[in-house]
Amino acid sequence: MSIERKNTSEKPVIGITMGDINGIGPEVIIKALSDNRMLRFMTPVIYGSSRVLTYYRKAMAMEEQNHHQVKAPGQVHDKKINIFNCWEDTPDIQPGIENETGGKYALLALQKAADDLKNGYLDAVVTAPISKNNIQSEEFKFPGHTEFFTQLFQAKDSLMFLVSDTLRVGVVTGHIPLKEVAGQLSKEKIVKKIKLMEQSLKKDFGINKPRIAVLGLNPHAGENGLLGDEENLIIKPAIDECKNKGMIVTGPFPADGFFGKGSFKTYDGVLAMYHDQGLIPFKTMAFENGINFTAGLEGVRTSPDHGTAFSIAGKNQADESSIREAIYLACEIVRNRGMLPEQ
C-alpha cells in the first residue's frame, strides 16, 4: 500500500506515542523535546494526554514546556509541540506500577497515531515503550510494535532493524521462544530478510552498495557440521542465492568472534538469526542511543531500544538520548525517501 501525504509542511511531522503512562515514556518525551532546537527540523505531535504530560512536568519541575492541543488531523502548529488527547478522562497515574491502566492508555495512543500515519497526516511515528504484557487485549494480540505495524501496513514481511552510529543489526526471527528458533529458519526466510535489509540500507540510509554480514546459528557457525547443520543446509544456500543476485553478502560468521574482533565495523548491516544474538551485542554497545526501526514498510516507525523501565519511572532518572535519536532517525529516513515537498 502507498501513503498519500496529507500535510504540506516542509518539515517532517512526527507522531510520538506516549507509551505506558506508568513507565518512562512521558518523561523521556518531555526531556527530548525540552530543547527548542528540535522544532527547527521537525514538527512533533504527542499522542496521549495533556493531563499525563502535566503530571510528569510538575514531577520534574519542567512546567515551562507548553503544548498546542490538536483536536483533528491537520491542525498541527509547525513551531510548537503538539499534543493530541487520545482520551478525555483522567487516568490514575502510578509511576513504576505495571497494571491494566497503563496498557489501556498505551493502546489508545498507539491506535490513533498508527491511523494518522496510515492516512498520511504523519510522516513517521516514534513509539515510546509499552509493556508487552499489559497491552494484550482483543484489539492487540501482537508480541510487540514491530508485528503491529507490519499488519497495519498489510506487509508480507518486515525487518526488526536495530540502528546506531556504529552498528546496524537485523534479526531473522524476533519475539519467539529460543527453543523455536531453529525450526523457524529456512533458506527462503533468510533470503527475504537479506533483501529487506539491502533495500532498507539503500532506500532509508542512502547506501548505494551495502555490505551485509550474516551470522551463523550455532557456536562457531556449526564447525563444519560438528555443532549443527543449519549453516550448511540453510544459511549458506541463502547467502549464495543472494550473491548470485548481485548482493554483497558474506558469512555465516560465528557471532562471538564477529563482534569480539570488531568485524562488524566493515559492514553496513548485520543479520542475526535470533533476537538475543543480535540485540545483546547491540545494546551492549549502543544502549543509550540505540534505535529500533521497522524496515520494509510503507510507513516509517522508529522507537528507543529500551523498555518501560518501571524501576526508575517517576524518579527523573531516565535518559532521553535513545528517543531523541529515534526522532532524528525518523526525520532522516523521511528525507532519504523523498517524502517532503521540494523547497
Side-chain angles (χ1 to χ4, degrees):
M1 63 171 297
S2 60
I3 301 173
E4 179 186 353
R5 193 171 192 260
K6 299 289 179 61
N7 56 70
T8 58
S9 174
E10 294 180 352
K11 298 187 297 182
V13 180
I14 309 297
I16 307 172
T17 64
M18 193 169 281
D20 194 304
I21 62 172
N22 295 323
I24 64 171
E27 177 181 334
V28 295
I29 291 170
I30 292 168
K31 287 179 175 179
L33 297 179
S34 63
D35 186 343
N36 290 330
R37 290 175 295 182
M38 298 281 286
L39 299 179
R40 295 178 186 175
F41 63 88
M42 53 83 72
T43 301
V45 186
I46 303 171
Y47 285 77
S49 164
S50 56
R51 293 186 177 97
V52 175
L53 287 178
T54 298
Y55 175 93
Y56 281 99
R57 288 205 322 267
K58 287 182 178 178
M60 296 187 292
M62 297 179 66
E63 297 180 66
E64 71 281 359
Q65 190 179 91
N66 296 315
H67 303 99
H68 172 251
Q69 294 201 26
V70 178
K71 297 186 181 299
Q75 293 183 349
V76 298
H77 195 298
D78 260 2
K79 297 180 180 179
K80 294 184 179 180
I81 300 171
N82 299 273
I83 173 74
F84 189 99
N85 286 305
C86 299
W87 57 85
E88 293 300 328
D89 51 324
T90 303
D92 181 18
I93 304 170
Q94 301 182 58
I97 304 298
E98 182 179 2
N99 55 29
E100 292 182 2
T101 300
K104 171 187 173 181
Y105 292 111
L107 180 57
L108 289 174
L110 176 61
Q111 288 174 324
K112 179 55 183 171
D115 285 343
D116 285 354
L117 175 64
K118 187 176 180 181
N119 291 324
Y121 294 108
L122 300 173
D123 294 309
V125 164
V126 176
T127 55
I130 58 172
S131 163
K132 295 178 177 62
N133 178 46
N134 69 19
I135 199 173
Q136 297 297 320
S137 65
E138 289 301 314
E139 298 175 272
F140 190 98
K141 295 181 178 180
F142 303 95
H145 281 118
T146 300
E147 296 80 5
F148 170 83
F149 279 95
T150 302
Q151 179 169 300
L152 175 75
F153 287 100
Q154 301 171 12
K156 293 181 180 179
D157 202 358
S158 65
L159 178 71
M160 184 190 296
F161 210 0
L162 282 297
V163 178
S164 74
D165 290 339
T166 57
L167 177 62
R168 301 184 191 93
V169 177
V171 293
V172 178
T173 59
H175 298 116
I176 63 172
L178 184 59
K179 65 181 180 181
E180 297 177 13
V181 169
Q184 290 286 324
L185 294 179
S186 67
K187 185 187 84 168
E188 293 73 22
K189 190 166 190 174
I190 295 171
V191 168
K192 285 181 181 178
K193 298 295 185 180
I194 293 173
K195 286 181 178 179
L196 284 170
M197 180 175 287
E198 189 203 41
Q199 290 165 2
S200 179
L201 289 169
K202 289 180 175 180
K203 178 181 179 181
D204 302 322
F205 297 91
I207 302 171
N208 293 326
K209 294 182 179 180
R211 293 170 49 85
I212 296 173
V214 179
L215 303 182
L217 172 67
N218 299 295
H220 306 289
E223 199 74 80
N224 293 316
L226 180 66
L227 302 178
D229 57 10
E230 286 84 3
E231 284 77 13
N232 290 331
L233 298 180
I234 300 173
I235 303 174
K236 286 181 181 179
I239 293 172
D240 290 340
E241 181 174 325
C242 292
K243 283 183 176 179
N244 291 335
K245 293 180 179 179
M247 294 184 240
I248 306 173
V249 186
T250 314
F253 294 100
D256 55 352
F258 182 82
F259 289 109
K261 295 176 183 177
S263 301
F264 64 90
K265 296 176 183 178
T266 62
Y267 292 90
D268 301 301
V270 180
L271 185 65
M273 291 300 109
Y274 58 94
H275 185 280
D276 282 13
Q277 184 187 50
L279 269 68
I280 287 176
F282 180 84
K283 291 193 176 185
T284 299
M285 289 183 269
F287 189 76
E288 291 186 352
N289 60 3
I291 307 145
N292 184 351
F293 167 50
T294 307
L297 307 182
E298 285 296 324
V300 178
R301 174 260 165 171
T302 67
S303 76
D305 74 343
H306 57 69
T308 51
F310 288 121
S311 62
I312 61 170
K315 298 178 181 179
N316 199 12
Q317 297 176 5
D319 189 319
E320 74 276 15
S321 300
S322 186
I323 198 164
R324 182 186 293 116
E325 292 299 322
I327 294 170
Y328 287 152
L329 180 62
C331 295
E332 179 184 339
I333 292 172
V334 167
R335 291 191 175 92
N336 286 341
R337 289 188 180 189
M339 295 168 59
L340 301 178
E342 293 185 7
Q343 298 183 16

